Amino acid sequence: MGTGPAAGNVHRHHTSLTVPDKEEQMTTLAALTTPCLLLEDEKLQANMDRLARRLHERGVSLRPHLKTCKNIEIARRCMESPSGPATVSTLAEAEYFAAGGVHDICYAVGIAPNKLERVAELRRRGIDLSVVLDNEESARLLVDFARQRDCRLAVLLEIDCDGHRAGLRPDDPRLTAIAALLRDGGQEVRGVLTHAGSAYDLPTTEAIAALAVQECAAANTAARLLREAGFPCPVVSVGSTPTAFFGEDFSGITEVRAGVYVFQDLVMAGLGVCRPEDLALSVLTTVIGRQSDDSALIIDAGWMALSRDTGLPWKREEFGYGLVCDEAGNLIPGLRVTETNQEHGIVSGPSCPALPAGSRLRILPIHACATAACFDSYTVLREGRISGRLERCRGW
């Protein structure tokens, strides 16, 4: 069992996302301009409940990564309280969610020196914003900045648990040296953070479960070494959606970070985390023609609407750039987006139907974060009907 606070309210907020005005109530899918980002409220809720329940049963807190949803209403439904905790990937997100009442925020990307002023401003406003770093140079720059501005920042040291991207190895002697540099410079060493990003490269659930063990072990090892050196290390943070779902023992871990779980996507389906039917997000598109030999449909959703994320290499042929559903969201067997240009998508399959121009389809995303990033807002569906629209935070 984990050592973090119990994830008490397994699901916190069951309210509808948005109450539409009269004009929106009259809008139908057929009237929407395409491409359009659709969000199914019931699937969203089921996805949020599933992970919250799982982590609650294992006694570890959830710090949802809001880089996926980028919306305050959705955030309030997946956080443990309206004030957090939360994870973000940009300071624009931190500022947006802070304005919405979220006060406990981890900015989980290595801090760039030119962003420290915005960090300090958020903290001056009473936002408990923590930052991440993994090297002495960044630590010195942070300490110098804080001395000049007479402020105290909260820092998590990033740990490399799998050679995926960034961070210190958990037994690296520089870990305690950087912690000492920060402490002696008047800064708060809050704990350690790691991310098992290589989970997205593993083709079996058994391998992901093993990586979850490795992820927790790395974080716990680093935390132990810091404590032995006199640093309290109250935060021991791990997280990725796959390891959150396949990890079993979170002993010593205070929080799990995950983001894409709220929507799910075809990468997660390919890893066995969910089924394609669980995906809450899709792109509504219109057939604008057929190729000359009638072997493929042309749609008005290209890589500007779907992204060009190719997902899992071993699922590339099966998933293409997205699976295809009818307008109601039912999967059409064998159809996928096989090519994308900027504003054109090519839909094909073994028996591609000869749909007329004007027909509506829905495309399930390969990577929900990348696809959603193409849009300014969601059109929310409840029981198959439009119930409102939600904004998305943009920028860095």
Side-chain angles (χ1 to χ4, degrees), residues 40 43 277 324-333 361-362 364:
E40 295 183 68
K43 292 182 179 181
E277 294 81 3
V324 181
C325 302
D326 62 20
E327 185 176 359
N330 303 303
L331 275 166
I332 302 175
L361 298 170
R362 284 161 68 173
L364 299 181

Side-chain angles (χ1 to χ4, degrees), residues 255-286:
E255 63 183 32
V256 171
R257 307 177 324 280
V260 76
Y261 78 96
V262 297
F263 297 151
Q264 301 292 17
D265 57 24
L266 292 176
V267 167
M268 292 301 109
L271 293 173
V273 171
C274 66
R275 306 166 302 164
E277 294 81 3
D278 298 322
L279 274 59
L281 210 62
S282 61
V283 175
L284 183 69
T285 184
T286 303

Side-chain angles (χ1 to χ4, degrees), residues 221-273:
T221 295
R224 175 178 56 79
L225 292 177
L226 282 173
R227 289 168 183 149
E228 288 173 353
F231 300 95
C233 198
V235 174
V236 185
S237 181
V238 304
S240 76
T241 290
T243 55
F245 276 104
F246 293 120
E248 291 296 338
D249 184 359
F250 293 96
S251 298
I253 303 304
T254 63
E255 63 183 32
V256 171
R257 307 177 324 280
V260 76
Y261 78 96
V262 297
F263 297 151
Q264 301 292 17
D265 57 24
L266 292 176
V267 167
M268 292 301 109
L271 293 173
V273 171

